[in-house]
Amino acid sequence: MFGFIIQRLLATIPVLGMVAVFVFLMLRLTPGDPAAVLAGDNGSPEQVAEIRESLGLNEPLVVQLGIWIGNILQGDFGQSYFFKKDVAELILLRVEPTLALATTTLIFTIMVAVPIGVIAAYKHGTWIDRAVMAFSVAGFSIPVFVLGYILIYLFAMQIDLFPVQGYKSITDGFWPFLHRLILPSITLSVIYIALIARITRASVLEVLGEDYIRTAYAKGLTPNAVLLKHALRNAAVPIVTVIGIGIALLIGGVVVTESVYNIPGLGRLTVDAVLGRDYPTIQAIIMVFSFVYVMINLLVDLTYSLLDPRIRY
């Protein structure tokens, strides 16, 4: 097990290296000049050239890439063009809202998606099964930002049940903290619930046709015991896999959701950095997201041996 973990950690180095090169080249080769953005609409060509020189943007791409990677290896993500602060400091200031939103979304998603997926499989062919499948289709079809504005209109403007925008730290009290995260979490979790519920239904439905399930019923076990102790446990590996894969949806959805609800997290910081052509900030955020995604997939792989004793590393 220890050797497997070390091997996977070492494998993250070339992955993150390829991500770094791709992100760097993608930003430099797309239209737009951060120096022109910083100079403003009234900036002269001389001012733009001076800003480019001060930022090191006149250097060849290979030189810029080498300097950036060298700084990253030293733990220096550079200074933001737009915010005039160290990028690492910006990320630390914005990570709490994003982490809170992602955590509440994951908890809510798993609490809803897995039970309705199991129930849909157990009630296969009934109206409950068809309703869950219809919800899954709708969840994949409605864009996150559209659902966000619908929920804001219904529950914030019409009913005045939840606040429209903003974020409260948990240090300000648990209920104010949770109250402002309920609508964003529901908005972000719908597509995630649709994905996990669909996979859970398919996995449990496949397991319910196995011989050991019929044996469990023949031994006189209750349906709940059969579903939880036999069917769900044996179907857990693909469910956990899709939860890990769905983190990519979660990361992408955070950017949109934080913009809709004006949450000052990493997603909102990404949007501001893109609009301001803030290369160091964009590069650092994408690297952080990539590292988190790789680590989550490693944790998912490690849970396989806990869920299925037949799996060994």
Side-chain angles (χ1 to χ4, degrees):
M1 177 69 77
F2 182 74
F4 172 77
I5 295 175
I6 296 298
Q7 182 181 359
R8 287 294 301 270
L9 290 176
L10 292 176
T12 63
I13 297 176
V15 171
L16 294 177
M18 289 187 290
V19 171
V21 173
F22 176 77
V23 171
F24 181 89
L25 294 177
M26 181 180 65
L27 291 174
R28 264 60 175 190
L29 298 178
T30 52
D33 187 354
V37 175
L38 292 174
D41 295 335
N42 298 323
S44 64
E46 292 77 13
Q47 290 175 323
V48 173
E50 183 179 347
I51 294 174
R52 286 185 59 85
E53 183 69 28
S54 65
L55 297 178
L57 297 176
N58 289 332
E59 299 288 343
L61 288 180
V62 176
V63 175
Q64 294 183 46
L65 177 61
I67 293 173
W68 178 58
I69 291 179
N71 291 335
I72 286 181
L73 294 177
Q74 299 176 25
D76 181 13
F77 287 103
Q79 188 177 54
S80 169
Y81 298 163
F82 186 77
F83 297 98
K84 307 299 182 183
K85 292 183 178 180
D86 288 340
V87 174
E89 181 183 349
L90 280 175
I91 292 176
L92 289 176
L93 289 174
R94 300 292 191 97
V95 73
E96 180 192 340
T98 299
L99 185 61
L101 177 59
T103 302
T104 54
T105 300
L106 277 172
I107 293 173
F108 179 74
T109 298
I110 295 173
M111 289 178 61
V112 174
V114 174
I116 66 174
V118 173
I119 293 173
Y122 183 66
K123 299 291 185 179
H124 175 63
T126 66
W127 67 269
I128 296 177
D129 183 24
R130 290 191 290 270
V132 172
M133 290 300 96
F135 169 77
S136 297
V137 173
F140 279 114
S141 303
I142 302 176
V144 173
F145 70 93
V146 172
L147 180 61
Y149 287 123
I150 292 174
L151 294 179
I152 288 174
Y153 177 76
L154 292 177
F155 294 100
M157 300 178 65
Q158 295 296 316
I159 305 178
D160 195 22
L161 188 60
F162 299 104
V164 177
Q165 294 179 328
Y167 171 77
K168 287 283 188 181
S169 174
I170 195 170
T171 57
D172 297 325
F174 182 74
W175 175 241
F177 162 79
L178 184 62
H179 195 206
R180 290 182 177 271
L181 286 176
I182 292 176
L183 276 187
S185 298
I186 294 175
T187 302
L188 186 55
S189 66
V190 167
I191 186 173
Y192 206 20
I193 291 173
L195 173 65
I196 296 177
R198 195 178 186 93
I199 298 299
T200 301
R201 172 190 176 274
S203 300
V204 174
L205 191 59
E206 181 180 358
V207 169
L208 288 176
E210 297 292 337
D211 292 338
Y212 58 82
I213 297 295
R214 288 191 290 270
T215 302
Y217 278 119
K219 290 167 61 178
L221 296 180
T222 63
N224 289 338
V226 173
L227 285 175
L228 296 178
K229 294 183 179 180
H230 296 273
L232 183 57
R233 182 171 182 178
N234 285 278
V237 170
I239 296 172
V240 171
T241 302
V242 79
I243 289 175
I245 294 174
I247 298 296
L249 295 176
L250 186 61
I251 292 174
V254 161
V255 176
V256 179
T257 306
E258 289 185 355
S259 299
V260 171
Y261 289 95
N262 195 26
I263 298 175
L266 292 179
R268 179 72 187 191
L269 179 62
T270 303
V271 174
D272 293 338
V274 169
L275 294 177
R277 305 294 297 178
D278 193 346
Y279 291 164
T281 304
I282 300 171
Q283 292 165 176
I285 292 174
I286 293 178
M287 292 298 294
V288 169
F289 281 157
S290 301
F291 179 76
V292 170
Y293 185 64
V294 170
M295 290 298 101
I296 288 175
N297 277 286
L298 173 59
L299 292 177
V300 169
D301 287 345
L302 294 178
T303 59
Y304 290 164
S305 60
L306 299 177
L307 297 173
D308 191 343
R310 295 170 297 180
I311 298 176
R312 290 290 181 268
Y313 295 112

